[in-house]
Amino acid sequence: MSSENSPAQPPGGVGLTGLREAAAGCRACELWEPATQTVFGEGPETARIVFVGEQPGDQEDRAGEPFVGPAGRLLDRALADAAIDRRDAYITNAVKHFRFTPTPKRRIHQSPGAEHLRACRPWLEAEFAVLQPEVVVCLGAVAAKALISPSFRITRDRGQLLPWTPPGRQAVLLTEPDADGDEPEEEVPTQTWMLATAHPSAVLRTPDDARAAAYDALVADLRVVAGALA
């Protein structure tokens, strides 16, 4: 792939394992060069719920796995409090490489630009095409703006289930039997739901006197998700 910012070109028909292997060599934007490695999504292909964050952080970049740092540990706790098993979820990011500003002591997170979101979007679309989830949860404003609308505001619209069609996903039709249990009379498209909430790192950055309330709000949003899966 080109070192210039251009959309990635994932292979088709390879499943999540094949996508992960292909993404390891992605050069669709310049972020691959300073980053340690591509951080692809993790979770089973049977996952009913997909969480989409912004990008990997410092610890994720070093480990090669999403949400394994402080934000990931807080997310684990919030999922448990909302009665969602992380092992049944797929967790990924809108951008698969860590964008940062280097300093003598540490690498400082820098939000990805629109060009990075565009370059990486085909990987996210390929993940959705394989997973076909029932619910997608945007963790933070970057993911919400990329997947819902550039005008989406977490503070205004968080915690609401919205009907949504994942990019790269073809409509899947389910048949329904008639009232007598005979052959199906009609085909009904399955519905995917979208919900946006705060990124766990935003909860961690909340001042001490308001952090508990911010955490409780995250858990409340996740309970809405758990209800949709029930």
Side-chain angles (χ1 to χ4, degrees), residues 25-63:
C26 184
R27 303 291 185 266
C29 74
E30 84 285 357
L31 296 183
W32 71 271
E33 194 164 9
T36 302
Q37 58 195 312
T38 302
V39 181
F40 206 70
E42 291 284 348
E45 288 195 7
T46 56
R48 299 172 63 197
I49 179 172
V50 173
F51 291 90
V52 182
E54 175 190 295
Q55 66 171 6
D58 181 78
Q59 292 189 33
E60 289 78 10
D61 172 75
R62 299 180 192 279

Side-chain angles (χ1 to χ4, degrees), residues 140-159:
V142 170
K145 289 177 184 295
L147 293 178
I148 301 176
S149 167
S151 63
F152 192 91
R153 296 292 180 270
I154 292 290
T155 54
R156 182 186 64 203
D157 300 317
R158 63 180 293 171

Side-chain angles (χ1 to χ4, degrees), residues 121-156:
R121 187 179 180 89
W123 293 116
L124 193 57
E125 293 180 353
E127 289 172 293
F128 283 132
V130 172
L131 293 161
Q132 300 189 5
E134 296 176 40
V135 183
V136 176
V137 179
C138 292
L139 297 172
V142 170
K145 289 177 184 295
L147 293 178
I148 301 176
S149 167
S151 63
F152 192 91
R153 296 292 180 270
I154 292 290
T155 54
R156 182 186 64 203

Side-chain angles (χ1 to χ4, degrees), residues 191-208:
Q191 178 63 66
T192 299
W193 297 98
M194 167 72 74
L195 181 143
T197 187
H199 196 288
S201 63
V203 176
L204 292 173
R205 293 194 302 270
T206 302
D208 292 347

